[in-house]
Amino acid sequence: MTTKPTIMKFGGTSVEDSEAFRNVARIVNSASPQRVVVVVSAIGGFTDALLSSVEKAIDGDAPAATRSLDQDFERHLVIGKRVLGSEARAAFESAIAGARNQIRELHKIVAAHPSTNAPLRDEIVAFGELLSSQLLTAVLRENGLATSYIDARRLIKTDESYGAAVPLAETTAATQAELVPLIEAGETPVVGGFIASTAKGATTTLGRGGSDYSAAIIGTALDAREIQIWTDVSGVLTADPRVVPAARTIPVLSYQEAAELAYFGAKVLHPKTIQPAMDRKIPVRVCNSRAPREAGTLIVSESEATPQTIKAIAHKSGITTVQITSARMLGAYGFLRALFEVFDRHQTAVDVVTTSEVSVSLSIDDASALPEVIPDLEKLGAVEVEEGRTIVSVVGEGLRGTPGIAARVFSTISDINVSMISVGASSVNLTFMVDDARARETIVRLHRTYFEGGTLEDRIDRTVADVLV
Ligand code: ADP
Ligand code: ASP
Ligand code: MG
């Protein structure tokens, strides 16, 4: 391709009502002298509603499941009414009617065969992105842009891990074959995020928040100029703004810092977004669709990133920790392999690991398989489980070479019980566990220590303190 395209991904909060759709149209229009591919999530809250409708169907009440979506279909219709002309509106209304009928039939099948729910859940939840992308295509067209609606299932090919599908290599060729001719003809393709399909054509999804990942996959396949993630905050912030209202935008992050933040809970980016972009060195920019003039965050290679400082605090609550204690571990080989095989067998991902001479502690995010995991672990040693823990992660390239960071972090929260301390393998994060009940306080205090008190003197003091502590 002669000019590289820009991928612009809009999240659910950027398309929650008619004003938000108009706003997205303005943002895409002002970028459109460049080549653009638009990726869009389901309208805000609709994915949650679709997923809980599936649960109602599994419980056996298909009519209640279908009825529970009435309000959300109404929201779509209201947006269509407000932003589309009569022809486009009629087409969209018939798409809604078609979706409603198909979902009704799918709910009936789920209610009759609840055990087959995984593929059907993806089939149902995909309507969120299918409808938002059709609606956005029409809105952009009404705004004078030459757009084409593309079903993402023709681009992103995955395995059959429904709910958290893994893209396959053929995605690149499929994406190029579908999109390059359109882009070269001056069209703006509009693609639903989050959804994909297997080689046999069954619908899959990439995991919650997966539209960011779709944007990265498509951007990588097209060797994009930039992947832009448009959301409801001005970039990646120094902490979760719901916990720390004073959190502020980080202007530049390295890929590694962004990946660690996303992995350890910064919801603004899906954790799988960074790797594909990093492989091709494609810049990722996180921008605010409600304040499009604000600079947001630029994520680039480490070498281009800003000075060596602590950049942010991420956290993930509701974590379970498991400790396995066994004298067999002492000086023996093969023990850790046996231990990890148990988690492997039960398809349970482990986030943080710390070891002592006779015990291993692990943290797991999804504890649903724990009832099966524990008996297998008990064959290896005594098992202790703790629920309701929070992983806190302090992230920044500054951790690489600055002495005293750990002392400063832990002296700030010296009265809070901390466990499983580890400096990440990438050495850009310092991670530890606290109880969920103390998480907010931990993050607020660390934020105050590292990021608040905005005078230059304060900042110099902090830097000097980091070196001296
Ligand atoms: P979208 O619908 O655009 O995908 P998300 O809700 O998935 O938006 O992600 C944006 C939200 O992530 C923000 O509104 C914010 O509450 C949350 N968030 C958590 N940690 C951070 C952080 N460090 N920086 C920015 N936002 C964060
Ligand atoms: N709509 C999906 C979700 O809510 C994907 C996304 O928004 O990124 O998880
Ligand atoms: Mg998201």
Side-chain angles (χ1 to χ4, degrees):
M1 228 179 327
T2 43
T3 319
K4 293 178 170 189
T6 300
I7 313 299
M8 302 179 82
K9 176 264 170 178
F10 295 90
T13 49
S14 300
V15 289
E16 63 188 355
D17 54 24
S18 51
E19 197 36 55
F21 268 88
R22 284 198 196 98
N23 195 31
V24 169
R26 276 193 291 272
I27 293 169
V28 176
N29 255 326
S30 59
S32 66
Q34 304 165 30
R35 297 174 171 214
V36 169
V37 175
V38 174
V39 177
V40 64
S41 294
I43 70 168
F46 193 31
T47 304
D48 288 334
L50 287 160
L51 283 168
S52 66
S53 82
V54 177
E55 294 310 313
K56 291 188 178 77
I58 290 171
D59 290 344
D61 195 345
T66 309
R67 261 197 323 273
S68 72
L69 298 173
D70 283 353
Q71 257 188 351
D72 290 283
F73 286 121
E74 196 49 42
R75 280 170 62 209
H76 281 85
L77 291 170
V78 168
I79 298 171
K81 211 170 283 171
R82 293 197 177 142
V83 295
L84 297 177
S86 58
E87 208 176 304
R89 185 173 132 195
F92 183 60
E93 284 173 358
S94 88
I96 293 278
R100 263 181 139 145
N101 285 335
Q102 289 182 59
I103 291 174
R104 181 179 301 114
E105 293 313 308
L106 288 163
H107 279 150
K108 283 186 202 159
I109 303 171
V110 173
H113 310 279
S115 62
T116 61
N117 68 67
L120 295 179
R121 179 183 278 121
D122 276 1
E123 202 68 57
I124 291 171
V125 84
F127 280 100
E129 272 70 11
L130 290 173
L131 290 175
S132 65
S133 52
Q134 287 177 59
L135 180 53
L136 186 57
T137 309
V139 173
L140 294 176
R141 195 170 293 152
E142 302 249 318
N143 277 268
L145 216 63
T147 53
S148 24
Y149 163 72
I150 301 292
D151 186 333
R153 294 172 295 188
R154 297 216 301 269
L155 311 183
I156 302 180
K157 293 291 164 189
T158 68
D159 67 4
E160 294 181 352
S161 318
Y162 297 99
V166 179
L168 304 174
E170 49 262 43
T171 296
T172 303
T175 302
Q176 289 170 349
E178 293 278 344
L179 298 188
V180 171
L182 292 172
I183 298 168
E184 290 196 329
E187 296 255 331
T188 299
V190 181
V191 185
F194 182 51
I195 61 178
S197 72
T198 64
K200 290 186 198 144
T203 301
T204 52
T205 60
L206 302 176
R208 292 307 309 269
S211 295
D212 301 335
Y213 189 27
S214 303
I217 294 167
I218 293 169
T220 310
L222 300 176
D223 193 22
R225 188 185 69 83
E226 186 168 286
I227 297 162
Q228 298 178 348
I229 306 293
W230 290 83
T231 183
D232 62 346
V233 286
S234 293
V236 182
L237 308 180
T238 45
D240 185 336
R242 292 165 296 184
V243 176
V244 183
R248 53 168 200 263
T249 302
I250 309 163
V252 184
L253 281 172
S254 69
Y255 287 122
Q256 209 158 56
E257 289 170 332
E260 299 282 352
L261 285 172
Y263 186 68
F264 287 111
K267 187 181 171 230
V268 63
L269 278 178
H270 186 277
K272 291 183 182 164
T273 313
I274 296 299
Q275 189 66 45
M278 183 159 82
D279 290 345
R280 299 295 292 261
K281 289 206 166 19
I282 301 170
V284 177
R285 198 183 287 276
V286 182
C287 316
N288 190 345
S289 63
R290 295 169 185 182
R293 283 174 205 282
E294 289 188 10
T297 300
L298 181 64
I299 303 164
V300 287
S301 318
E302 186 188 318
S303 53
E304 298 165 63
T306 47
Q308 307 273 300
T309 52
I310 299 299
K311 300 279 176 52
I313 304 155
H315 76 284
K316 202 151 67 161
S317 293
I319 298 290
T320 303
T321 59
V322 182
Q323 189 177 50
I324 303 98
T325 308
S326 164
R328 271 174 56 198
M329 221 187 121
L330 196 62
Y333 55 85
F335 184 84
L336 286 177
R337 184 178 48 80
L339 181 65
F340 284 111
E341 264 172 15
V342 172
F343 288 94
D344 224 31
R345 224 173 13 255
H346 297 287
Q347 297 182 351
T348 296
V350 171
D351 284 335
V352 181
V353 184
T354 56
T355 63
S356 77
E357 38 177 349
V358 291
S359 72
V360 182
S361 298
L362 313 126
S363 80
I364 52 180
D365 189 354
D366 176 3
S368 55
L370 213 52
E372 292 87 55
V373 170
I374 291 173
D376 282 359
L377 290 180
E378 281 171 342
K379 293 175 196 150
L380 299 172
V383 178
E384 230 175 284
V385 174
E386 260 186 287
E387 289 171 354
R389 311 281 288 159
T390 294
I391 302 184
V392 179
S393 194
V394 177
V395 174
E397 297 280 354
L399 267 138
R400 267 185 214 281
T402 317
I405 301 258
R408 182 113 192 269
V409 165
F410 295 123
S411 66
T412 304
I413 50 166
S414 56
D415 56 325
I416 294 175
N417 198 16
V418 164
S419 63
M420 288 186 69
I421 301 165
S422 75
V423 177
S426 66
S427 71
V428 304
N429 80 70
L430 168 67
T431 298
F432 54 89
M433 296 276 173
V434 296
D435 269 340
D436 279 350
R438 309 292 306 264
R440 179 171 291 271
E441 194 183 347
T442 302
I443 296 151
V444 165
R445 275 207 239 160
L446 286 174
H447 195 270
R448 208 173 293 142
T449 301
Y450 276 100
F451 304 106
E452 291 168 45
T455 68
L456 179 63
E457 285 76 11
D458 285 335
R459 287 203 297 277
I460 291 169
D461 277 356
R462 280 200 296 272
T463 313
V464 171
D466 271 342
V467 177
L468 295 184
V469 170

